[in-house]
Amino acid sequence: MKKFYQLFSIVFALLFLCLPLIKHIYTGDEIKSEENRNLTQMPSQAINLTSLSKYTSQFDTYLADQFGFRDAFIRTANRLRYRLFNEATSKQITMGKNGFIFLNSHSAKHLYSLINNVCDIKPLTKNLQDDAIKVFSKFIKLYENQGYQTGIAIIPTKSRIYPENLLNPQAEICQANTTTWLDKRVKEVTGRGIYYPLDKFRQWKSEFQVFLPAYFHWNGELPYRVAEDMMKNYWHIEPKLEVKSENTSVETDLKRFLFGLNIHDETKKYDYSPYKITSCKGAHCFKDLAHVYKRIIGFRYFKDSNTHRKLLILSDSFGAKITPHFIRGFDEVAMIELNRLKKKERLAFFESVLTIEKPTHFLLLFHDGGSKGRTLLLNNILSKYD
Amino acid sequence: MIFSSITFLFYFLPLFLLLYFITPFKNTVLLIASLFFYAWGEAQYVVLMLFSIGINFSFGLLIDKNSQTQTKIKQLFILSLGVIANLLLLGYFKYFNFISGDLLHIELSEPVHLPLGISFFTFQAISYLVDVYRKEAKVEKNIFNLALYISMFPQLIAGPIVRFKTVAKQIHNRLHTLDNISKGMRIFIIGLAQKALIANTVAITADEIFALPESALTTAVAWLGAFCYTFQIYFDFAGYSNMAIGLGLIMGFTFPKNFNYPYISQSITEFWRRWHMSLSTWFRDYLYIPLGGNRISPFRTYTNLMLVFLLCGLWHGAAWTFIFLGAYHGLFLMLERFKLSQLLDKLPAIIRHTYTLIVVVFGWVIFRAENLTQLQYYSKTLLGLGQGTSVLETIPTFFSHSLATTLTFAVLFSLPIFNYLKTQFKSTISNQQSVKTLSFHAIFEIFYLSIFLLSIVNIASGSYNPFIYFRF
């Protein structure tokens, strides 16, 4: 019987080691993965002895991306870690208190940078702050002078609104730092000023779930309310449509980091179907801009009305959820995400986008963690107007 | 290629085992696989290894030939030439950068690359020549067999340092039994788990803490980093050794045990009897004893001890920190030999143990430090004399649930608990076929398979690299 156990274990272990290889041979290489990136493909052959070392290292990377049952292994590892320790395999995710999940950084190289930035744990330098205020004012003035009703919206993120659900030490610091540099200095932006709804979010927190626990971006009621508030109080436009909502369940937008876990949130879904709204999603809706922004992502919404108002939003990933709600006050709303805009495309894009789109209203929207990035972007673009 | 990589576990190992067990030419398969294994990491240095095999084969034959016909002095001369040739190889590749840069302050346009495993295969080669000279091992007249001994992949890059006399017979003739394969597989699994589940987890925290600048390093965090590194180095190294020993046993080779619960030691002398045993016995047999061992004057014994440990430190790496590490351990060994041991013997075991652990943990800080500057500020911080303050890099930042659990297991598996349980179990077995016995066997097999699966899953998930937005 002991021999049987031994034999069973040996066969089982060997089989387990062989299966990834067998599957890889059988199914071949994959290209896309759940991780939102292309998987490494087989490297081209090494030509000489010196390049052989580099080749083997590339081959290691290739095999690590392509071995059979990779997804199943990763899914199991993620589930085990989550169930046993309430932790995510990716260090970019902070599993906070009360079911809250925070994206702490956009890059694995700078963990916690997102939280540290927005909570002023690592604030922008005084020079960068000055630059930000200057360039935001300049942006508004420049495009207002060109005839566009121009605005900037900075959206506070979850760690500002629910700091108590972070883990220590971030929880303690974010709770203590109730006023950050942005809160203090945002009023210095001249012209129309910046739409920065931090106080509103804090007030709304007692009325509804401002940010969904497992979501990084906003969703449901919050973007709806912000769109309404912006139209009324920032642009003085009365939204026309009355929209009904119903409760729905949404999968976390952090699922790339939580692959294999089935985490959902309850939220509100707004129903625009009674109104004749047409929409267009994707690069083909912006054909005229393709020559200046190759990998463009964007949405368009049209409504059959005659307000003669068209809104153009240039945004980060927060733009997608708020865009449809602006249709309540505009005939047309177009949103273009800047995340894929390459450095060398910036100038040409900004020079073309307004003349091609011809909006009446122009909005730059980003979340508070993106202040530095947007400052640098605008500095780069607007420097020619000095 | 390391044992805990996807390439090794899912591609190299299954293909190798398949070929090894289905062909009758086992040594040929093993030799080709070993050279391939080495070439995967160090393609251009395979030639260097072949050169090392060639010169050691020739020197072995020469020593053996002269042992029958010539005087002892000529034989010793040939041995010395062989050892010097090996040391020159090691010296050039491992210490040239250090000597030219740190000692002579000469800037090299292109630093010398350190080939993988050179410290291990050079020491194995030296032991071969000395053992042939001492007639403790028979000379190997087949160059392929010697090549197999020097290049055998399980112990090639991280030991244990296997003496030729230990495996000589097995190279020629060895048994492949179900018991050996099963036992080897278990040892391999234990090693894999030590590496994948414990060492890799604590390594993340150790790396994060050792990367902190002086200004952000606080005493509590520095101690956490030092403890994490203490467990990382043990479970990493012992894990790798166990994987090597296990693989060897699967193929019918008996490699020496390399670690014997070093953290239960109650003195530094005992620690070195339990830590990297194949290295410490190598230094004992090929350096310390030839220098006179304990049978000379106390002054010379102390000098020899210090010399051996300075060289032992230097063997670990070419940097001042390693020399300092050797001197540090040498100093404690000298003190213990002088009077400290007698004093320690009178103290309770817990104090002896605490003393040893503190010395060892501090020693690992020396080992881990990037340079003397880091060593200086890290040591100061450990002693509570650091200037670092941080609101972010505090204990809660690093002390996750998984780290706490891993550290608990690290402490438990640093103790011989598992061995104790196994011994207790074996002593209670009365009937080999009883239900109780069979259940225990089943439980053990399930335990091994479970930690194997966990380790594999953990390693496989290491390739997970998500992006919130799509990367092209």
Side-chain angles (χ1 to χ4, degrees), chain B residues 226-240:
Chain B
F227 278 122
C228 284
Y229 188 66
T230 299
F231 287 118
Q232 180 199 342
I233 193 166
Y234 170 55
F235 284 101
D236 197 292
F237 202 176
Y240 211 89

Side-chain angles (χ1 to χ4, degrees), chain B residues 55 130 191 215 263 274 294:
Chain B
I55 55 167
V130 177
S215 57
Y263 293 157
R274 292 173 175 276
N294 306 335

Side-chain angles (χ1 to χ4, degrees), chain A residues 54-72:
Chain A
K54 204 174 157 192
Y55 177 75
T56 55
S57 132
Q58 287 169 343
F59 211 90
D60 281 332
T61 316
Y62 157 71
L63 292 180
D65 263 6
Q66 297 289 354
F67 64 92
F69 298 106
R70 183 173 178 272
D71 282 0

